[in-house]
Structure formats: structure tokens, C-alpha cells
Amino acid sequence: AQSVTQLDSQVPVFEEAPVELRCNYSSSVSVYLFWYVQYPNQGLQLLLKYLSGSTLVKGINGFEAEFNKSQTSFHLRKPSVHISDTAEYFCAVGHNDMRFGAGTRLTVKP
Amino acid sequence: SAVISQKPSRDICQRGTSLTIQCQVDSQVTMMFWYRQQPGQSLTLIATANQGSEATYESGFVIDKFPISRPNLTFSTLTVSNMSPEDSSIYLCSVEDPRSDRGSGYTFGSGTRLTVV
């Protein structure tokens, strides 16, 4: 069965600093990988997804993620964060269904 | 992608009662999924509902507590039975985009925020 592990439960950063949210996956078959964002009291919004092809995936709001098969990782990055990026971020893996990581709470401070 | 209408958006219920959540999709989909998101937690898959067969439940979830119906390819319901305060969560339905390869595209409903008092 597939699963994902988000290595950091909370990541505090200052505005305009770079950020990396870490995600490792485990699967015995080829899978698809996703990053979702959830703003306070709102639903899930897809940031980006990796299906195949280029290992560097660009998403919305300036986020990107890199699929690394040898390290079974799919870390999310943004070169310069804004206050408005404060939210919960979920890494997920899809195959027959979708499984989510525990989430990383990104807090951007002024 | 598919558009999901999930109702109710929120409810406050008395313990011991049951609540049925509806999920309507604007296109025919094979796979429908129900998730629970407890306060401050991630999403946990409750069950997978396929039309014409019984739902498949994940470990820790049972049909008596969370009965699911899937009468056709555009509709499903999840019932939270004999509720207790521990059932207070957001419940979300999700579908697999029929125009995507298997496992590559999902759409989520806006969720039902349930509070049990």
C-alpha cells in the first residue's frame, strides 16, 4: 500500500524567505503525487501534481516540487513566501485512491 | 474536472442521533470516496464507494457506524450513526476525475462540518 510522510508538522518562516516542505512517499507501484493547500476554515486546493515526465513540477502561487525517485521524495518549495501563504499543506499519493500525509502547518511571520 | 455539490455544509447534532451527508456530482464517476478530517488533523479515508457494490471500508471504520449508499454513478450518501462528540469532524466526499488516468486526478467536495453536542 502507498503512504506519505511529511517530516515537519510545523514550519515557521519570515516573509520573503525561501521555504521547503518535505514529503517522502512509500509505494511498491508507480504512483501519482500531489500537494494540496488548506487555508483556515476552507476546503482543499490543489497546488500541483506529478504524473510523469519532468521531475520538476510547477504549481500555482509560485510553488514548485521536485520528484526524486531515488530518494522517494516530493518536496515542495517556494523561493519567497508571503504572509498569505500561511496555511496547512498536505502531501498526498494517488493510485487506487488518495492517501494524505499528516500535514505541515506553514506560518509566515512579518 | 468534475463539480461536486455536498450537503449540508455544516450541522450541529445531538449525541445519539444520525446525520446523512449527500454528495452529488455533475458527471458520471466510477469511484467515490469519503474522508474524515478531525480537528487539526489530516484527511483519513473512510471508505470507497462503487456503484452497484458494497462500499469498501478502511481499517477502523465499519458499516454499522458509517453506512454508505451509492445508488447511481452521480450520487452517494454517508451516514454518521449514533453520533458522539468524537465524531465532530469535517466529512468530505471526493471523486476520481473520469477524464484522468486512474489515480491521477481527484476532485473534493467543500465538506460538511459536523459538531456533535
Side-chain angles (χ1 to χ4, degrees):
Chain A
Q2 64 271 19
S3 65
V4 291
T5 301
Q6 291 183 245
L7 299 165
D8 307 293
S9 60
Q10 297 187 55
V11 173
V13 295
F14 287 104
E15 192 173 20
E16 298 184 5
V19 70
E20 178 179 81
L21 307 184
R22 297 181 293 169
C23 172
N24 285 91
Y25 70 93
S26 173
S27 177
S28 59
V29 298
S30 296
V31 294
Y32 305 111
L33 294 161
F34 306 80
W35 275 100
Y36 285 86
V37 60
Q38 187 176 39
Y39 298 102
N41 296 314
Q42 294 190 27
L44 286 175
Q45 182 178 5
L46 179 66
L47 273 177
L48 49 80
K49 60 182 176 181
Y50 172 78
L51 304 183
S52 64
S54 174
T55 57
L56 183 63
V57 181
K58 293 189 183 298
I60 62 172
N61 301 342
F63 283 93
E64 63 180 33
E66 185 161 17
F67 172 67
N68 189 317
K69 188 174 182 179
S70 63
Q71 297 186 6
T72 61
S73 68
F74 190 57
H75 300 335
L76 181 71
R77 295 191 287 259
K78 186 170 182 178
S80 176
V81 294
H82 303 288
I83 298 287
S84 59
D85 291 323
T86 294
E88 191 83 20
Y89 292 79
F90 295 101
C91 182
V93 58
H95 182 58
N96 292 319
D97 51 45
M98 179 169 279
R99 306 289 172 138
F100 287 83
T104 297
R105 182 173 299 277
L106 174 65
T107 303
V108 182
K109 300 179 285 187
Chain B
S1 59
V3 176
I4 298 175
S5 174
Q6 186 173 339
K7 294 189 293 186
S9 60
R10 59 178 62 233
D11 207 342
I12 300 174
C13 300
Q14 296 290 324
R15 67 177 68 200
T17 63
S18 298
L19 176 71
T20 295
I21 302 167
Q22 299 180 1
C23 183
Q24 178 75 52
V25 191
D26 70 342
S27 55
Q28 294 184 335
V29 295
T30 302
M31 310 280 282
M32 294 184 77
F33 310 92
W34 287 98
Y35 289 84
R36 180 177 72 182
Q37 186 177 23
Q38 295 176 298
Q41 304 293 318
S42 183
L43 282 78
T44 301
L45 182 64
I46 297 172
T48 301
N50 293 332
Q51 193 269 335
S53 63
E54 282 196 11
T56 303
Y57 288 83
E58 297 298 310
S59 176
F61 297 97
V62 295
I63 188 171
D64 290 345
K65 176 67 175 177
F66 298 101
I68 288 172
S69 78
R70 182 81 202 273
N72 57 52
L73 292 173
T74 63
F75 188 77
S76 178
T77 67
L78 169 77
T79 298
V80 186
S81 303
N82 188 25
M83 289 183 285
S84 66
E86 291 72 34
D87 295 319
S88 298
S89 296
I90 298 173
Y91 293 86
L92 300 101
C93 71
S94 173
V95 302
E96 191 169 13
D97 189 341
R99 288 156 293 194
S100 299
D101 292 336
R102 183 72 181 273
S104 68
Y106 299 87
T107 301
F108 287 83
S110 55
T112 297
R113 185 180 294 272
L114 170 63
T115 302
V116 184
V117 297

